[in-house]
């Protein structure tokens, strides 16, 4: 069986190579297609990078399975064995419109347990990485354990969608959190937002709908530095079908559940 160290070494090499390909694509004309609606886009690079990972993983670890956003891996119905969960570009809208603030996200799970997490901020060339139990890093810099935090001194990452009319949450629930926090942000890449929580750059990230490839890498970073991870109901995440997500520094989780999400929230 492949060792975690071996997978980690290859994964880092592949992340860097994929990142170079994405940066090089800035000088080319993208082929952009619509997926489910006009705001849900995919490019030739999303597909090309996922294929790149599938080819590399297939060559070196032929018995591993791949769970990727663009569907070039396996049809995943369980997390038995070793599964690489990959988002080739997290933040495709940023990639297309802004050429920044997007990431490659990768998580390696063995029998459902997260072993390796990586989020590569391609334009800043910052690789956030963790081997479970061995510390989380940004490049060579170890990320310290997160201190506790309270809402009124926190920067909370939340998309404005969740405090205006939407299909998933009563907008009046989280509006007071937005009001009480020191500030709010929205970066448009869940993987980056998770990495920023792990690095202490933001204090919490809340969102109502993500897929496993959005968070499989980043939640391992957050957990490693003592952050709290759950869905919006406070339950464990669903790594097969996707889920809502709430990650934060210690202390903030309880404060948010007690003050803003207690009682009958309809969630
Ligand atoms: C999206 C980004 C975005 C989040 C969306 C995701 P994509 O991923 O993470 O921040 O709000 O829910 O779908 O489509 O750019 O890979
Ligand atoms: Ca994504
Ligand atoms: Ca994506």
């Amino acid at each position: 069986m492949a060792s975690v160290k071996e997978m980690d070494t290859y994964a880092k090499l592949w992340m860097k190579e994929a990142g170079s390909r994405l940066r090089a694509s800035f000088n080319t004309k993208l082929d952009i297609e619509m997926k489910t609606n006009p705001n849900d886009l995919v490019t030739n690079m999303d597909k090309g990078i996922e294929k790149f990972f599938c080819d590399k993983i297939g060559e070196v670890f032929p018995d591993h399975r791949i769970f990727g956003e663009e569907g070039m891996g396996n049809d995943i119905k369980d997390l038995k064995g070793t599964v690489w969960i990959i988002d080739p570009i997290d933040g495709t809208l940023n990639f297309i419109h802004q050429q920044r603030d997007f990431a490659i996200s990768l998580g390696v799970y063995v029998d459902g347990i997260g072993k390796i997490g990586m989020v590569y901020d391609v334009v800043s060339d910052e690789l956030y990485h963790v081997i479970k139990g061995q510390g989380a890093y940004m490049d060579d810099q170890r990320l310290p354990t997160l201190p506790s935090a309270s809402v009124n001194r926190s920067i909370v990452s939340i998309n404005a969608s969740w405090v205006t009319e939407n299909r998933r949450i009563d907008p009046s629930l989280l509006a007071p959190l937005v009001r009480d926090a020191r500030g709010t942000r929205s970066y448009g890449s869940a993987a980056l937002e998770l990495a920023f929580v792990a690095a202490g750059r933001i204090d919490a990230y809340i969102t109502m709908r993500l897929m496993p490839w959005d968070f499989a890498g980043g939640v391992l970073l957050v957990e490693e530095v003592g952050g709290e991870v759950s869905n919006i109901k406070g339950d464990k995440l669903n790594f097969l079908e996707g889920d809502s997500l709430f990650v934060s520094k210690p202390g903030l989780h309880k404060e948010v559940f007690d003050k803003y999400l207690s009682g009958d929230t309809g969630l």
Side-chain angles (χ1 to χ4, degrees):
M1 204 175 90
S3 73
V4 170
K5 186 77 208 126
E6 197 184 351
M7 293 189 276
D8 179 73
T9 304
Y10 276 109
K12 283 181 180 143
L13 264 177
W14 297 336
M15 290 294 256
K16 290 285 175 150
E17 162 75 27
S20 304
R21 291 182 184 212
L22 287 169
R23 286 188 298 268
S25 78
F26 290 160
N27 303 320
T28 65
K29 189 174 175 315
L30 289 177
D31 179 5
I32 303 171
E33 281 170 50
M34 211 170 80
K35 284 164 106 177
T36 52
N37 67 65
N39 303 331
D40 183 13
L41 303 176
V42 63
T43 73
N44 54 309
M45 293 310 294
D46 297 73
K47 294 178 188 170
I49 297 295
E50 184 160 314
K51 179 159 189 319
F52 166 79
F53 276 100
C54 290
D55 290 348
K56 294 291 185 188
I57 296 163
E59 271 164 34
V60 182
F61 305 112
D63 55 331
H64 294 185
R65 294 187 299 154
I66 298 161
F67 191 16
E69 175 166 21
E70 308 312 333
M72 288 172 194
N74 303 86
D75 183 16
I76 296 291
K77 301 266 190 287
D78 61 65
L79 291 181
K80 284 185 196 135
T82 303
V83 181
W84 295 62
I85 309 182
I86 296 174
D87 192 339
I89 303 180
D90 182 61
T92 295
L93 289 185
N94 287 351
F95 173 68
I96 295 170
H97 284 258
Q98 306 181 325
Q99 298 193 333
R100 68 190 66 209
D101 296 330
F102 62 88
I104 306 170
S105 174
L106 178 154
V108 181
Y109 285 68
V110 178
D111 292 326
I113 310 227
K115 299 289 184 186
I116 295 171
M118 289 187 194
V119 173
Y120 185 29
D121 180 342
V122 170
V123 172
S124 303
D125 188 23
E126 289 175 338
L127 179 63
Y128 299 84
H129 55 100
V130 58
I131 294 179
K132 195 183 177 69
Q134 296 183 25
Y137 292 80
M138 185 192 75
D139 296 330
D140 295 333
Q141 214 179 302
R142 186 160 180 163
L143 301 176
T145 302
L146 295 174
S148 61
S150 59
V151 166
N152 61 0
R153 297 197 174 196
S154 290
I155 294 193
V156 176
S157 207
I158 183 168
N159 188 314
S161 312
W162 312 128
V163 290
T164 188
E165 199 183 325
N166 72 85
R167 285 189 300 133
R168 302 198 183 270
I169 186 169
D170 173 352
S172 69
L173 284 174
L174 294 178
L177 170 65
V178 168
R179 181 196 60 210
D180 295 348
R182 180 172 270 171
T184 55
R185 299 288 182 273
S186 179
Y187 293 93
S189 160
L192 273 187
E193 286 164 296
L194 283 159
F196 291 169
V197 171
R201 293 180 184 175
I202 51 178
D203 302 285
Y205 171 50
I206 299 185
T207 190
M208 297 309 298
R209 186 67 200 161
L210 290 178
M211 294 304 286
W213 42 80
D214 299 317
F215 58 67
V219 291
L220 300 179
L221 293 164
V222 175
E223 280 170 355
E224 190 73 10
V225 292
E228 294 180 301
V229 175
S230 73
N231 67 16
I232 197 75
K233 295 194 244 174
D235 300 331
K236 281 190 173 170
L237 298 175
N238 181 335
F239 281 87
L240 289 174
E241 285 161 22
D243 216 332
S244 55
L245 179 72
F246 174 28
V247 296
S248 77
K249 282 184 172 157
L252 233 161
H253 230 74
K254 183 169 177 338
E255 187 184 351
V256 169
F257 279 116
D258 288 352
K259 275 198 197 155
Y260 308 96
L261 295 170
S262 61
D264 182 14
T265 59
L267 289 166

